[in-house]
Amino acid sequence: MDVAEEDPTNLPTKRRVRLLNRDDRLFHVILAQQFDRELIDHLCRIAEMTRIIADARAGARFLNTLLSHKRAMLYFIQPSTRTFLSFSAACQVLGMPHNDVRDSSTSSEVKGETEEDTVRVLSQYFDVIIMRHPSEGFAETMANKLNTMRRCIPLINGGSGKDQHPTQAMLDIYTLYRCFSPSLAERIRLDPERNLFDGKTIAFVGDLKRGRTVRSLAYLLTRYPGVRLLFVAPEELQISEDILAHLSRYDIEHELKFDLPEVIGECDAVYMTRVQDEHDKAGESGSIDLSRFSLTRDIESRLKPDLAIMHPLPRRTELDTYYDSDPRAKYWDQMRNGMWMRAALIAHVFNVDGAILDHYFSHYNY
Ligand code: CP
């Protein structure tokens, strides 16, 4: 069977990654497993430089020229606020015109055109497709099908069912970099020998079974030996075995926990998530007791003074608004970091990240 025809998720990870990359660079961005430590460091540095360059009028003009000859399609047929808008803003930063389809009832899908054909159609008009889709594996399947077309353009996964959200994981790791290394000079130099995550404890809390952001971030964190991960969730919503097996393969210390107040004092970062009840079959998550899985004001005294409080958002009651103006609340920063990280990713895919590096070092001292 042709690779484009078979289910790519049945292939070994190395083979899947090879099909998505070109010449040792990202081409399609589908899986968190595509990112090694060197690439994560590189993209965090490019994101950091882009935000600094964009702050000056001349720098913003320079960035605006980089991809003005390319066009992006944002094909988001599952709801989104942050991912959609930050990709849109990232395209604007790089001068790339973009268009969107957010509701398939306005496309020829109502006349029976398949989603697969819709993606093929989009590939004829645009130079990159950024996609959010409710089905796990659809983005990867389409990337492999695009590989067989005469005109093959990159496909970027902006969230695929319950499976993966790799660009969210990249903005999360960039946020952690900024928390664990407050010095800009250090972040720009990023000594490859220095592992900012060594000795850090990070807790994931909430619906870990169906949260794609947690899955993708867990994959990325295998690149940091010495990190310790706590998965804090009710039994019914605990992290899946495949992620635990992956962490064990990479020798990443991890534990399952069932009570947030009990462990919060050990954490350097806490990653809260909401219950993903859109995936319920019959409202079953409504009966789960979540009282030990919320960051409430009554446990504030247990928090480390420099804890990073994170959440991919949107939130419900698991994260008390009491923390919103606390300097430890990094969930606002995550959103803005996402715009810069997504600009860095797009720049890398189109091979203009080197121009950003050169511009930075010719205009700034460190
Ligand atoms: N974090 C995130 O993916 O948010 P949206 O669903 O609003 O894009």
Side-chain angles (χ1 to χ4, degrees), residues 79-84 132 165 168 312-314:
S80 166
T81 301
R82 280 147 288 268
T83 311
F84 178 83
R132 172 169 287 191
H165 197 348
Q168 172 77 39
L313 301 177

